[in-house]
Amino acid sequence: MTAQAPAAALAGRSNPAGVGRGFPVWLGLAPFGLVLLVLFAVPVLSLLKLAFGESGFSLAQFERMAAVPVYRSVLLTTLGIAGLVTALAVIASYPLAYVMATVGPRARGLLMLLVLLPFWTSALVRTTAWIILLQGNGVVNTMLMGAGLTASPIAFVYNLSGVLIGMTHVLMPFVVLPLYAAFRNLELSTVQAAESLGAGPLTVFRRIILPLTAPGVVAGAMIVFMNAIGFYLTPALMGGPGQAMIAQMIASNINTELNWPFAAALATVLLVATVTMLVLFQRFFGLERLIDGGGGKVGQPFTVTSRGRSTGGWLAIVAAGLIGAFLIAPIVIVFPMSLGSSPFLAFPPESYSLVWYENFFSTSKWVTALTRSLQIAALVVTISVVLGTLAALGVSRMRPRWRNMVETIFILPMIVPVIILAVGLYYLLAPTGLVGSIWGVTLGHVVLATPYVFITVRAALKSFDDNLELAALGLGASWATMFRRVMLPAIAPGIAAGAIFAFITSFDDVIIALFLTNIRSRTLPKLMYEGVAHEIDPTIIAASCLIILVTVVVLGANLLVAKRKTS
Amino acid sequence: MKKLIVAATAMVLLAPGIASAKEMTFASWGGAYQDAIRKAWIQPFSKESGIKVEEDTGPETAKIKAMVETKSVTWDVVTAGGGGLMRGVRQGLFEKITPDMVNTDHVIPGARNDYGVASEIFSTLIGFSTKAFPAAGPQPRNFADFWDIAKFPGKRTLPDKPETVVEAALLADGVPMAEVYKTLSTEAGLKRALDKIRTLKPQVAVWWASGAQPVQALGSGEVVMALGWNGRFQAGIESKLPIAMAWEQQIPQVGFFMIPKGAPNKAEAVAFLNYIAKPENNARLSEFVAYGPTSEKALAAIPAARMENLPSTSERLKNALFLDIEWWADNGAKVTEAYTAMLKE
């Protein structure tokens, strides 16, 4: 893409008004492109090339993979589970996002909290809580058997259902947020028109809501799918041997077996399979076409119609209630668990004490690590929001021909197993002295986090009405003024969702931190992960509870302030 | 005390010269294990030698490899299990430790290695629920009992990795200790082990991935018998969970301390390894975690009450099949593939 091209490529449509004043494509693509080249392509490729022989070209690693059926079946299991989790997350998100978009601001704030809280607990804490809820003599089975609904306990965990429950729970927010943004962009009059023409709730959903929310759903589903492929803690702890996932095998070949060529081969196959699926998905569903149907909302936002909720609406509220309960269940039991005195977690605890909270505050390492994590996450959010938004602007102004390819390249960091990036970055950064400093881990997180911002902002831009931009420019606004006054407010929800995702990506990461930090720069997840092969230190549960409490207080205060302002 | 005075004097004498206050960096897995190492070894060693020990965490083998290959080694002593040690040795990541560097003649033969100093011994054995099998009735004692569903009904938990499981399966199937690895090295022998595990599969509720899981599962009643680590079972027992261990048969493993190649403070690292290898020092770790010393000479220094919970007593070592880390380094990949395939069936 040359510097002259952007004006003509503007929005991919004939667009004479923008000539000379548009946003240059290269300015959007170059910063993140450069970051990807240096901090992603170079380190990852230097590791992946091991798959093709360490001295001289060889396909031996791939031959081994093909010869042993286990690897094929694990790859298929991985893609299957990722697909199932994506489907479940999308289905479960619709009622919740619908209700969030149609209730008052306070209820909405509360629901938002429900959706975000699972993000705020460490994966270890979450899975432990689920196991305690769902195991044979766990809380749920005790309740079901007490109510006489089942005679013998139902096997919820250590099988496929355990994996689906655990993964859908934590990945769902990735769909809910963009979907909620899409619902907010729906225009009430469209729905009213359909209803007045006699469309029932099902028809309204299928013909109006589904197509108009597609950009949000597709963005969320892509994030969930690619995230799911890289999971291994949850499947290892909540699944059975039938649910072994490929990321686990890649990590163990890197870290335990030290068989990097084979790990590289596994990762290469995973990468090719995932990218192929993405491309097929895009072709098959004709995403671009689907998405371009959206946009153009100036009217009243989507809300409950004057006739009140339809039957479908009420059903959605019931479903949303159940889903909300599902989201909050493990978090609710975490609090009593954190007050137990035994290092072996039980619910309800046999005796209560504050020992784990004392532990958190009395040993400086916990507070230090938490502060460090927040510092790093703040840096990562700032950098990745700028890079991701620029990249999304650039891509949305590209010619359609190259757009798909660039789009795929920009989300590659989500597909490549993190451990490959982490090891590659170590080799790259060790000579620079950045390993062990807070900047090494920050750079790694920026690579991981920017694609989230890119995807959500890109989705927001897809529903942005280009005519507004043209109108502003036509009235003499400079591009910068137009962006600040017209475009930015419209895509702000997308940027906010991306920022949250970026924050979580950084705040939750263990693997990059494992390789790029030392004891002075270690993050909270790294500290939580220490010694975990042997024991779970309940201090991590206290830490999670504290983080949840702080979140609830901050968001709660925010809600109160917002309410006072409006009244 | 005398040593202390000598050390203190040495420090005073050395101090003004330079900031060459000697130091080294030690990296281990954090948590209770590193806390124990700090109290048992690092703090007294620093006091005695005047060498300041910086601590770090997360000595992943992949990270050691990356450090060695980029010549940016910041760790002087790292810790690992036998698997990590052997794979590192094969890739040339560790310094060879010769007898004139650290004398390990007194170390239990199954725990010696040219590239690592044995730090402690822990064991894989049967832990069972005393609610399901109270002392009044029959209690499981050996691996054959673990497979005996008629005599000891109820769900089990096994590791999701083959190490120690295939050995236990063959021992349960009647293979004598001395023959286990010879048998496993044949196709038929490996198949025999996997078939034995296959028969138990319907009874296995949890294939565990982290050492805390078997204890949690025993405590909650999810399973009645577990193949797991003695240190974890012991921690459960001390937290008043209804658990007991069957000591009649066990598969001990050794924890090692190594020096990565290119470590910046090799002399200090060697001094530290010498310190932990000394029987009277080596015994001290057992005060803080239920791991056994690596030398029978160290046993005398351990109180009898603690001895009951440790794997490396003279009595217990007689029925102990040490995990053969060389064998696993050679066969691990193949056996893991076969084991995973068996589990996925």
Side-chain angles (χ1 to χ4, degrees):
Chain A
M1 191 68 44
T2 63
Q4 284 78 25
L10 190 67
R13 295 167 203 184
S14 61
N15 192 0
V19 174
R21 284 192 294 186
F23 176 82
V25 173
W26 64 266
L27 182 63
L29 303 188
F32 187 44
L34 208 65
V35 166
L36 275 187
L37 182 71
V38 177
L39 295 173
F40 178 74
V42 170
V44 166
L45 288 178
S46 69
L47 212 67
L48 288 187
K49 73 168 198 269
L50 295 177
F52 301 92
E54 283 170 283
S55 48
F57 183 78
S58 143
L59 290 174
Q61 303 298 338
F62 295 97
E63 280 156 17
R64 174 182 163 203
M65 205 189 308
V68 185
V70 158
Y71 298 107
R72 204 175 325 134
S73 99
V74 169
L75 181 65
L76 289 178
T77 308
T78 304
L79 296 175
I81 289 178
L84 273 175
V85 168
T86 309
L88 284 174
V90 167
I91 293 169
S93 294
Y94 260 103
L96 202 58
Y98 159 79
V99 173
M100 275 170 70
T102 54
V103 291
R106 289 181 73 192
R108 180 181 310 137
L110 201 71
L111 285 170
M112 187 69 93
L113 198 62
L114 277 189
V115 173
L116 290 179
L117 280 185
F119 269 164
W120 258 244
T121 52
S122 114
L124 280 169
V125 175
R126 238 166 15 225
T127 44
T128 311
W130 271 124
I131 289 168
I132 283 171
L133 274 174
L134 296 176
Q135 64 192 357
N137 52 7
V139 180
V140 173
N141 268 317
T142 312
M143 272 163 41
L144 288 178
M145 283 159 74
L149 289 173
T150 168
S152 57
I154 300 172
F156 289 112
V157 271
Y158 307 125
N159 51 25
L160 180 63
S161 72
V163 176
L164 294 181
I165 290 172
M167 288 176 65
T168 307
H169 176 248
V170 64
L171 290 175
M172 233 184 90
F174 285 116
V175 188
V176 176
L177 292 192
L179 188 54
Y180 160 73
F183 264 112
R184 295 288 289 168
N185 277 340
L186 272 184
E187 208 184 319
L188 182 61
S189 58
T190 331
V191 180
Q192 279 172 332
E195 281 181 341
S196 69
L197 291 169
L202 261 185
T203 316
V204 169
F205 180 74
R206 196 166 52 83
R207 304 282 296 270
I208 312 269
I209 295 183
L210 205 53
L212 289 181
T213 52
V217 166
V218 169
M222 272 190 350
I223 293 180
V224 169
F225 185 80
M226 285 178 298
N227 239 307
I229 283 175
F231 260 56
Y232 61 93
L233 195 63
T234 310
L237 294 178
M238 291 181 73
Q243 286 77 47
M245 307 253 297
I246 195 105
Q248 201 174 344
M249 290 196 154
I250 294 171
S252 92
N253 272 292
I254 290 269
N255 215 1
T256 319
E257 306 286 335
L258 284 188
N259 189 347
W260 292 7
F262 192 61
L266 285 173
T268 306
V269 170
L270 174 66
L271 194 61
V272 170
T274 316
V275 171
T276 311
M277 282 181 74
L278 269 182
V279 170
L280 285 179
F281 189 72
Q282 281 183 327
R283 282 278 154 76
F284 189 71
F285 288 100
L287 288 185
E288 285 294 327
R289 202 162 18 97
L290 201 70
I291 283 161
D292 281 349
K297 69 260 115 270
V298 227
Q300 200 188 351
F302 178 63
T303 175
V304 183
T305 57
S306 47
R307 292 183 295 149
R309 287 189 197 277
S310 62
T311 333
W314 284 111
L315 279 178
I317 288 200
V318 174
L322 290 174
I323 291 158
F326 165 73
L327 285 175
I328 205 77
I331 292 155
V332 169
I333 76 151
V334 157
F335 280 90
M337 269 162 61
S338 73
L339 295 170
S341 55
S342 161
F344 291 93
L345 306 162
F347 179 85
E350 305 218 330
S351 58
Y352 291 88
S353 88
L354 285 172
V355 57
W356 309 115
Y357 289 90
E358 280 165 27
N359 223 354
F360 183 90
F361 287 108
S362 63
T363 19
S364 61
K365 64 177 183 179
W366 290 97
V367 182
T368 312
L370 175 61
T371 321
R372 181 85 64 248
S373 272
L374 289 172
Q375 267 173 359
I376 292 170
L379 284 171
V380 170
V381 169
T382 314
I383 302 172
S384 59
V385 159
V386 173
L387 289 177
T389 307
L390 283 175
L393 278 170
V395 165
S396 66
R397 255 130 252 272
M398 283 179 74
R399 285 174 209 278
R401 251 181 84 194
W402 298 103
R403 192 156 45 187
N404 277 349
M405 201 185 74
V406 173
E407 213 159 12
T408 312
I409 290 174
F410 279 4
I411 57 176
L412 279 182
M414 300 177 72
I415 313 173
V416 172
V418 183
I419 194 158
I420 302 260
L421 175 66
V423 171
L425 276 176
Y426 188 98
Y427 279 80
L428 183 79
L429 298 180
T432 66
L434 288 176
V435 169
S437 82
I438 145 169
W439 287 103
V441 60
T442 300
L443 290 177
H445 286 177
V446 163
V447 172
L448 289 185
T450 308
Y452 291 92
V453 182
F454 170 72
I455 289 183
T456 52
V457 177
R458 177 93 178 92
L461 281 171
K462 277 169 180 166
S463 2
F464 176 73
D465 188 354
D466 296 330
N467 290 320
L468 295 177
E469 177 183 357
L470 294 183
L473 294 177
L475 291 170
S478 71
W479 196 88
T481 312
M482 184 289 299
F483 178 74
R484 198 161 43 82
R485 307 275 300 265
V486 180
M487 194 184 260
L488 191 59
I491 63 171
I495 296 180
I500 291 174
F501 295 165
F503 180 88
I504 291 306
T505 306
S506 169
F507 196 66
D508 225 21
D509 161 76
V510 178
I511 299 169
I512 297 272
L514 217 48
F515 282 86
L516 299 185
T517 65
N518 60 23
I519 203 163
R520 274 176 294 275
S521 55
R522 73 178 156 194
T523 58
L524 187 64
K526 185 186 178 190
L527 180 59
M528 287 178 164
Y529 181 81
E530 283 175 6
V532 94
H534 298 274
E535 62 196 340
I536 290 184
D537 179 350
T539 311
I540 73 175
I541 301 204
S544 278
C545 289
L546 287 169
I547 294 169
I548 291 171
L549 274 178
V550 170
T551 316
V552 170
V553 168
V554 169
L555 289 188
N558 216 359
L559 282 181
L560 280 179
V561 171
K563 199 191 140 218
R564 208 161 292 155
K565 262 187 200 156
T566 48
S567 59
Chain B
M1 196 60 207
K2 203 184 275 173
K3 271 182 189 166
L4 218 149
I5 295 168
V6 173
T9 322
M11 271 176 74
V12 170
L13 287 177
L14 281 174
I18 349 115
S20 86
K22 292 187 192 169
E23 56 174 37
M24 56 163 277
T25 306
F26 169 82
S28 185
W29 301 102
Y33 178 62
Q34 194 159 338
D35 289 344
I37 292 174
R38 183 178 314 119
K39 288 180 207 145
W41 293 334
I42 292 178
Q43 288 172 350
F45 167 74
S46 281
K47 240 185 216 167
E48 189 182 299
S49 65
I51 296 171
K52 188 171 170 248
V53 180
E54 285 278 330
E55 286 184 58
D56 201 354
T57 54
E60 313 283 336
T61 10
K63 192 166 173 180
I64 299 172
K65 180 175 153 90
M67 277 189 177
V68 171
E69 289 184 355
T70 54
K71 301 200 179 357
S72 57
V73 179
T74 57
W75 296 330
D76 300 301
V77 173
V78 295
T79 70
L85 168 69
M86 282 316 297
R87 291 184 196 98
V89 168
R90 300 266 153 116
Q91 306 226 356
L93 303 184
F94 302 123
E95 297 278 0
K96 187 162 184 170
I97 295 165
T98 55
D100 54 295
M101 287 161 77
V102 184
N103 178 17
T104 53
D105 285 348
H106 55 284
V107 170
I108 294 164
R112 286 183 211 159
N113 191 286
D114 285 347
Y115 292 86
V117 171
S119 49
E120 79 276 340
I121 290 176
F122 63 98
S123 201
T124 299
L125 42 55
I126 299 172
F128 58 90
S129 158
T130 49
K131 267 190 191 153
F133 311 118
Q139 291 185 316
R141 297 155 52 130
N142 51 38
F143 294 135
D145 288 342
F146 194 85
W147 261 263
D148 192 339
I149 308 158
K151 201 168 161 199
F152 299 104
K155 294 287 184 194
R156 271 85 164 139
T157 176
L158 285 171
D160 67 353
K161 299 273 179 326
E163 286 92 345
T164 71
V165 188
V166 287
E167 287 95 334
L170 284 188
L171 290 171
D173 213 27
V175 176
M177 254 171 31
E179 302 285 309
V180 166
Y181 285 105
K182 217 159 73 188
T183 312
L184 278 175
S185 301
T186 64
E187 285 291 323
L190 179 59
K191 187 171 174 295
R192 181 175 169 187
L194 294 174
D195 283 343
K196 184 77 179 172
I197 300 165
R198 214 175 260 122
T199 62
L200 200 62
K201 254 177 88 174
Q203 301 298 321
V204 180
V206 188
W207 297 89
W208 60 260
S210 102
Q213 274 179 297
V215 189
Q216 198 83 41
L218 279 176
S220 70
E222 187 83 2
V223 303
V224 297
M225 239 198 279
L227 198 61
W229 300 332
N230 76 291
R232 290 288 85 213
F233 290 139
Q234 188 59 38
I237 293 169
E238 281 160 18
S239 306
K240 312 241 168 2
L241 295 183
I243 298 175
M245 285 179 267
W247 282 106
E248 199 176 294
Q249 250 178 343
Q250 53 159 337
I251 304 169
Q253 274 163 271
V254 183
F256 291 98
F257 283 19
M258 294 88 74
I259 305 176
K261 222 170 233 168
N265 308 297
K266 202 173 144 189
E268 288 74 11
V270 170
F272 185 53
L273 294 186
N274 267 303
Y275 182 86
I276 69 144
K278 270 202 196 105
E280 64 272 27
N281 296 337
N282 190 261
R284 208 176 304 128
L285 188 71
S286 304
E287 289 173 31
F288 303 97
V289 280
Y291 294 142
T294 57
S295 161
E296 294 200 43
K297 278 189 188 163
L299 295 172
I302 297 173
R306 191 53 170 173
M307 282 304 288
E308 276 180 26
N309 310 324
L310 301 181
S312 46
T313 67
S314 309
E315 179 67 20
R316 285 170 183 168
L317 284 174
K318 282 182 202 140
N319 291 315
L321 172 68
F322 270 87
L323 192 83
D324 186 338
I325 56 178
E326 300 248 3
W327 190 88
W328 278 103
D330 292 334
N331 300 285
K334 189 186 76 189
V335 177
T336 305
E337 281 170 359
Y339 189 76
T340 313
M342 183 271 300
L343 289 186
K344 278 191 75 114
E345 273 163 20

